[in-house]
Amino acid sequence: MAIRSEAPRAVLEYRGKNFDASAVETFLYDWWESSGFFTPGPKRPGETPFVMMLPLPNVTGDLHLGHALGFGGYEDLMARWHRMRGEPTLWLPGSDHAGIIAQIVVEKELAKEGAGRTNMTTSPTLGLSRDEFLAEMWRWMEHYKPRIYKQLRMLGCSLDWTRVHFTMDPDMQRRVRIHFIRLYRNGHLYRADRIVHWCLTCQTTYSDLESLHVVRTDQLSYVRYPWAQAMPSGTPDVIVATTRPETIVADTAVAVHPDDPRWKGFIGKEVLVPVSERKVKIIGDEAVDREFGTGALKVTPGHDATDFDIGQRHGLQVLSAIDTRGFMTPAAGPLAGLDRDAARAAMIERLKEKGLLMRQEPITHNVGIHDRCETVDEPLVMKQWWMKMKPLAKPAIAAVRDGTVRIIPKYQEKIYFEWMENIRDWPVSRQIWWGHSIPVWYCQDCNEIVVPDEDAPDPTTCPKCRSHDLRQDPDVLDTWFSSALWPHSTLGWPEQTEDLARFYPGSVLETGYDILFFWVARMLMMGIQNMGDVPFGVVYLHGLVRTEGLKMSKSKGNVVSPVEMMEEHGADALRYALVNGIAAGADSEFSEGKLENGRRFVNKLWNVGRFVLAQLEARPAALAGPIDVVPSGADLTEADRWILSRTEAAVEELTRLIEQYQFGEYATALQQFIWTELADFYVELAKPQRRAAGSEDAAVRTLAYVLDRVLRLAHPSIPFVTETLALQLWQHGSKSDRAPSLVLSAWPKPGTRDAELEDRFGLAIEVVRRIRERRQEAGIDPRMTVRVALGGDAAALRPFADIIASLTGADVRFGPGDSAPTLVRAVEVRVEVPRDATADRARLEKELAAARGLLERSRGLIADPSFSARAPAAVVEKTKAALAEREAAVASLQTELDRLG
RNA sequence: GGGGCCUUAGCUCAGCGGUCAGAGCGGCUGCUUUACACGCAGCGGGUCGGAGGUUCGAGUCCUCCAGGCCCCACCA
């Protein structure tokens, strides 16, 4: 089926050879299909599904590192892990029509395609009719959609492609329409003349969230407004300071602070607006900053948000002097017809002529811009559809407050509350063509607003005056209006489908903290509104991925394509490197070095796997029971039992870390175990040349079991390599579960550990390190055997004599046969080589000093009566044990030193 | 103006009240050991930004200070 034919060639590099993992993915889909999980059905008794919605990427976009981190790093990790835990797992993919962004992208493509098609450069028409343009949009959607979906597959995302959705699919359009109609009937949507952000380039309004601020330096002009009535001599001039003199023609008041002693006596008097000569009142309003300029503010309700609010409070007239193209309207009088920049210059000239421009000075201030095109905001008063947010926000605030929804990291909850508690109404209409239509018609004869019933066809007759001259609202809805419905609209809402019953509410929503307000908060509100329940119980927020200290952006030219990274290093390496060592919510610095570590680690795992497989081939009869059952038998060596115990420790640790959403720690711990303990220590001890006769098979059994565990443990982060190795491993023996694929096999449950063995073996490792250190210090040829004497409490290490000898190239002898009843970390190591006694003494003295320092600390702690009295018993016990060890260590170092003479 | 975060090894970061504070990268030294030179072994490197406080015990909790970053907001 289509899914398979589109499967990407996920590639990882191994010794210059391209390793094709697409076969693995094909395999997964085969299994999923035959398992029937894709088939919708009712909730099964007792099941608790794990449900996640993909944070839908923009359909016209390419994958960036933020996506790779979220989708491939965290979400797929969670999906695979929960699936392995036996939870029916739905991770639902899709893409967003991306309203204005997509429209801009396609307009550019169209302009490239055929310049003859249009003479106009301004959007959105391009010389096409609306229907023609939308047809072009759809044509391009078919071009873009497979692209982003293919990139998701490359990452290894185990998404349920049978449930993929696109926000502009016809059924999704219907759901958005119903949502709008219900909100309208409930009084959550209203239409009003308000001041909005207007983008002169994109020719549309946008919301506060889409507005950014940049610091800019402009001219601040001080302009005198002459008194309109005779004033006593000595009356001060009214001078206002403005950065936008061209809007003076739309002034309808001058405002001062009501408590400002300089001005309060003049409230109610009138001044003349320069150039337009209109009389306006001086009003008192607390929004005025007394410190700024002269303390007098020109009020232009038509072109400034603050002024609009002041105007609302004082019933001021709204004059619109600038039109949607940035040209001055007839209301601008002598400035009419000029664009806003020319009008500014012209206004300054006129003010100078009239002697009303007192002075100008530079001012550095914040200027609002549109986040998509960075055009300076032009606040305009327009009729728009608004969503009343406060009532919707209330239950969504409560849901986080009472723990129904948990946000990770926790501090993001404060940010959420801060925004939600001060939420403002949301302008939802946009003056573009690509997007969800607004299901509202206006009667051209009687101005009636006609909103059809749910699922009713488009109205053709005005219910009030029976006119047939109805026109649909030409605007479309903000993109986020539809994505806010994603968790329930994709499951079939408003129909009570089986999927909706089975998969709502979802489990986790994973996304970047930068869209907490845009998307997460709105999904919470709309989910509660439409479903009566929150859309998810956990919000996991990740941070920004930067390179060289900067956020990646196209304009900075520092965007690195994850696709290229995957082609070069493999998807596994990228996925792993992105999450390794990063705490929840923290921004991260991504570097080539990090990616290389990922690749080396994946390569290490691959090579461990190859080694194990080679051993299995060499000894085909070694496996007695199933691969995934803990090996046992008298032929198991201490080393075998040690790695088996350590494997269980890793299972415990890694399970805990994922359960606690500590994915960065999970990745680090995984590497620590696989590389340091398994590869560097155990694999060496499992090599046939290091095994006593008769214990070779035990090594193979152990290796097979440990690899099986390790592949499962690594699989959520490193799916391709682990899956490939598992398929090969499992061909060598039977398995207790029947899953033919790692993606569907079980996450390991921790088994029995041997704490004492781990402890003793840990000591043996320390001894090995110390012997190696001394050998290298002494510059002994690595091939030469040295004689090593172990004294002190070394008896505990007798079972590991061969191991120590084998790993260090030493002929190990034990000192006088004392049998230490308890394990004490004080072993004397004497490497018998010709050596520099002075250097040895210096080293030993340094060690002794350090050991004494530690000993003193322990003694001090024990001697402190309040410590024993107040610290928990376990801590006191631990400290006592540490004290004993330190005493022995000091003694043993002292002996060694004495022996040097 | 309001809110939030960060400051730990040369760099990037973990560390969520309890042994000597860790990892990766980088640095230095020695090794062509048939899983892996994309490797192995070893070494060096930290007054945990500063000052107080709480506690038997603080990198971890509290307060203040100094730097850096982010978000929200109607200083024209």
Side-chain angles (χ1 to χ4, degrees), chain A residues 153-212:
Chain A
R153 290 210 176 86
M154 252 187 112
L155 264 177
C157 295
S158 55
L159 290 152
D160 180 350
W161 291 102
T162 64
R163 287 183 173 84
V164 64
H165 282 79
F166 176 51
T167 48
M168 279 295 282
D169 285 341
D171 59 337
M172 298 298 275
Q173 291 198 40
R174 186 181 144 252
R175 286 162 194 157
V176 168
R177 176 170 167 143
I178 290 171
H179 177 58
F180 185 101
I181 292 167
R182 287 192 186 173
L183 283 185
Y184 175 76
R185 301 250 190 267
N186 291 337
H188 287 107
L189 286 167
Y190 62 92
R191 192 164 178 251
D193 272 312
R194 293 263 205 98
I195 195 148
V196 289
H197 302 289
W198 176 263
C199 180
L200 291 172
T201 304
C202 302
Q203 288 291 303
T204 183
T205 55
Y206 52 95
S207 70
D208 293 332
L209 279 178
E210 293 156 87
S211 153
L212 300 176

Side-chain angles (χ1 to χ4, degrees), chain A residues 453-480:
Chain A
D453 287 337
E454 281 175 29
D455 277 330
D458 292 355
T460 51
T461 308
C462 173
K464 193 172 166 195
C465 73
R466 314 310 299 172
S467 164
H468 293 295
D469 194 2
L470 296 183
R471 298 227 181 120
Q472 185 169 13
D473 193 311
D475 290 353
V476 300
L477 293 163
D478 183 2
T479 297
W480 299 103

Side-chain angles (χ1 to χ4, degrees), chain A residues 276-304:
Chain A
S276 64
E277 308 288 329
R278 192 173 47 254
K279 281 187 192 173
V280 298
K281 276 209 168 80
I282 294 181
I283 56 174
D285 194 284
E286 297 189 344
V288 178
D289 178 0
R290 278 180 276 186
E291 307 301 314
F292 190 90
T294 58
L297 168 71
K298 73 192 256 324
V299 182
T300 321
H303 297 288
D304 184 278

Side-chain angles (χ1 to χ4, degrees), chain A residues 556-577:
Chain A
K556 291 192 197 96
N558 62 345
V559 178
V560 192
S561 154
V563 173
E564 282 170 32
M565 291 181 182
M566 285 189 277
E567 276 164 356
E568 196 176 339
H569 300 281
D572 285 339
L574 177 65
R575 293 164 56 111
Y576 176 83

Side-chain angles (χ1 to χ4, degrees), chain A residues 469-547:
Chain A
D469 194 2
L470 296 183
R471 298 227 181 120
Q472 185 169 13
D473 193 311
D475 290 353
V476 300
L477 293 163
D478 183 2
T479 297
W480 299 103
F481 188 93
S482 54
S483 42
L485 311 182
W486 193 240
H488 55 280
S489 63
T490 51
L491 295 174
W493 180 89
E495 269 66 61
Q496 263 307 318
T497 60
E498 288 178 327
D499 268 9
L500 194 62
R502 190 175 173 203
F503 299 128
Y504 193 99
S507 314
V508 176
L509 188 279
E510 195 286 337
T511 194
Y513 67 70
D514 53 330
I515 53 172
L516 177 62
F517 307 144
F518 276 110
W519 194 45
V520 181
R522 285 166 178 167
M523 278 191 289
L524 278 164
M525 291 186 272
M526 301 312 144
I528 293 170
Q529 172 68 20
N530 288 344
M531 293 294 298
D533 197 357
V534 296
F536 31 72
V538 170
V539 175
Y540 183 94
L541 297 172
H542 67 249
L544 258 43
V545 183
R546 289 181 312 248
T547 47

Side-chain angles (χ1 to χ4, degrees), chain A residues 775 779-786:
Chain A
R775 282 188 64 125
I780 297 162
D781 187 310
R783 281 156 300 199
M784 234 174 76
T785 302
V786 294

